Amino acid sequence: MTAAVLLGAGLGAAPAASASPGNGPTAIVSLGDSYISGEAGRWRGNSLNNAGSRDGTDRAWTGSTYDPTLVYGPTAVNGCHRSDSAEVKSATGTGVQALVDLACSGATTANVFRAASGGRPYKGEAPQADQLAAVAAQYDVKAVALSVGGNDLGFASIIETCATDYMIWYSYCHDDQQQVVDSKIDAVTANVGKSIDEVRAVMSAAGYGSSSYRIILQSYPSPIPRAAENRYGESGWSRVSTGGCPFWNKDSDWARDSLVPQIAGRLRQVATAKGVEFLDLRDMLQGREVCATASRLVTATQPPSATSSEWARWIDSDGTQGPVQESMHPNHYGQQGQGRCLALAYAATPGGHRGCRNTPGSGASGMYLTTLS
């Protein structure tokens, strides 16, 4: 791995000497897509103010202009958007010496596979498993957190279709999009399983035994609430112009209570079949979603707050506040919550399947694990 790639992964300078399993500086590594890379970490809640610091929500504000590298470092340029608050970066208190983010916004399972196994470079970077090989040789890797499959299913396209159906066509998306998901999900979950195999192959080649590190496969949180938990009515334009959650009630309920659980269920099956740990994040943003009644927008008189602001980035369809690709991802607060979930999972007895939830009125410190039956 070149120094440039190491810096892009958030490592800083590489250790001077090679390490090995049980020897050298310890590390936790994250692989996968935007839900773990740190996409939207630029934002602390959502504000309708398009000027200046956007009421303090925009962490890229310098006082005179916007500099996304303050949050995403050099990956602000290639679009991987590895934020300084990304899940693995926020997994503090574990005792490991390095928290390494190799994930990239927009990545698919093919961008995780080794090049030798058909893996493809992405955004100017080598396949993530090949990057992991270099990290495994320089650190004593204790755990690999993996979030992948959403882009294979076409998350971005599903969100775009549902938003367009609300704003333009006045029709539902859940029926036709469910068919799309059902047509892809078998192949996608098979490739998630291959991603796990690729991680194991890399670690084995680096001399790691199966019990010397852990793989934690995680699912996706829902960025939008159920219809009954949306603070804006279905009619009118508030969901578009104020809340940034342009979805019909039936589509919202489908996404929250059907799509997200369906994907989580299939990923759990993969984890069980492959003998790795599963971290279910489907409920992680409960009450903190975009437009949720239990949260609120940031204003000049209501500053950003981990206890009351939204934990996910709204849809800014006009791109008036940063790139549209940040939409519908856990923001700075959400990523801190994810990091706490990962830290708790790492501290737990290896081998279990667990869910992670937040405590209403509390920040990341209120995250807690549940045991999945």
Side-chain angles (χ1 to χ4, degrees):
M1 180 182 287
T2 66
V5 171
L6 286 168
L7 288 170
L11 289 174
S18 295
S20 59
N23 177 49
T26 55
I28 297 176
V29 183
S30 62
L31 302 178
D33 55 28
S34 56
Y35 274 76
I36 200 170
S37 74
E39 183 69 83
R42 174 177 173 174
W43 304 97
R44 299 190 302 166
N46 299 305
S47 166
L48 293 170
N49 188 347
N50 290 331
S53 69
R54 282 85 184 235
D55 292 324
T57 62
D58 193 346
R59 301 172 62 230
W61 175 244
T62 67
S64 60
T65 187
Y66 304 102
D67 181 6
T69 65
L70 294 176
V71 176
Y72 300 123
T75 66
V77 178
N78 74 353
C80 279
H81 284 187
R82 299 184 186 108
S83 76
D84 57 0
S85 60
E87 179 178 316
V88 72
K89 295 295 185 180
S90 294
T92 57
T94 60
V96 300
Q97 295 160 283
L99 300 170
V100 184
D101 187 2
L102 298 179
C104 183
S105 183
T108 65
T109 52
N111 304 128
V112 173
F113 306 158
R114 293 169 296 166
S117 296
R120 297 194 295 267
Y122 188 60
K123 296 186 177 179
E125 297 184 0
Q128 292 176 31
D130 291 327
Q131 295 184 51
L132 174 63
V135 174
Q138 294 165 345
Y139 291 87
D140 177 14
V141 175
K142 294 300 185 183
V144 177
L146 176 64
S147 169
V148 73
N151 290 314
D152 300 64
L153 279 174
F155 267 179
S157 177
I158 292 172
I159 291 170
E160 181 180 5
T161 297
C162 290
T164 300
D165 282 355
Y166 180 86
M167 293 186 291
I168 297 176
W169 301 118
Y170 302 101
S171 61
Y172 295 125
C173 72
H174 63 271
D175 43 5
D176 58 317
Q177 292 306 301
Q178 183 64 65
Q179 293 177 15
V180 171
V181 170
D182 289 343
S183 70
K184 294 180 177 181
I185 198 163
D186 286 346
V188 170
T189 52
N191 281 334
V192 172
K194 180 179 176 180
S195 296
I196 294 171
D197 293 340
E198 291 290 290
V199 169
R200 282 183 164 146
V202 165
M203 300 298 283
S204 178
Y208 288 74
S210 59
S211 62
S212 62
Y213 70 99
R214 299 159 66 180
I215 298 176
I216 303 173
L217 176 66
Q218 64 187 52
S219 66
Y220 296 92
S222 174
I224 60 173
R226 299 175 178 89
E229 297 164 352
N230 194 313
R231 64 178 180 266
Y232 303 104
E234 183 178 34
S235 60
W237 287 96
S238 294
R239 289 190 182 182
V240 177
S241 60
T242 304
C245 56
F247 306 103
W248 295 110
N249 285 346
K250 287 186 177 181
D251 291 338
S252 298
D253 286 344
W254 166 73
R256 180 66 180 84
D257 290 327
S258 182
L259 176 63
V260 169
Q262 177 186 10
I263 295 169
R266 293 298 295 268
L267 290 174
R268 181 179 177 179
Q269 290 176 5
V270 173
T272 299
K274 294 296 181 179
V276 303
E277 297 173 48
F278 179 62
L279 182 60
D280 193 341
L281 299 183
R282 75 177 77 183
D283 297 319
M284 197 214 81
L285 295 177
Q286 174 64 35
R288 315 302 184 96
E289 307 100 329
V290 178
C291 296
T293 54
S295 298
R296 68 190 186 194
L297 291 180
V298 176
T299 68
T301 58
Q302 295 179 331
S305 168
T307 61
S308 60
S309 300
E310 295 167 331
W311 283 17
R313 184 62 178 159
W314 62 10
I315 292 182
D316 178 15
S317 56
D318 295 327
T320 54
Q321 297 183 12
V324 176
Q325 75 178 60
E326 293 175 315
S327 301
M328 296 286 109
H329 289 87
N331 62 18
H332 177 67
Y333 295 135
Q335 289 170 19
Q336 290 179 323
Q338 285 179 285
R340 180 61 178 161
C341 291
L342 179 58
L344 290 171
Y346 182 77
T349 302
H353 290 354
R354 302 174 178 91
C356 191
R357 302 188 64 134
N358 73 77
T359 300
S362 178
S365 62
M367 305 305 297
Y368 63 94
L369 297 182
T370 60
T371 300
L372 300 181
S373 58

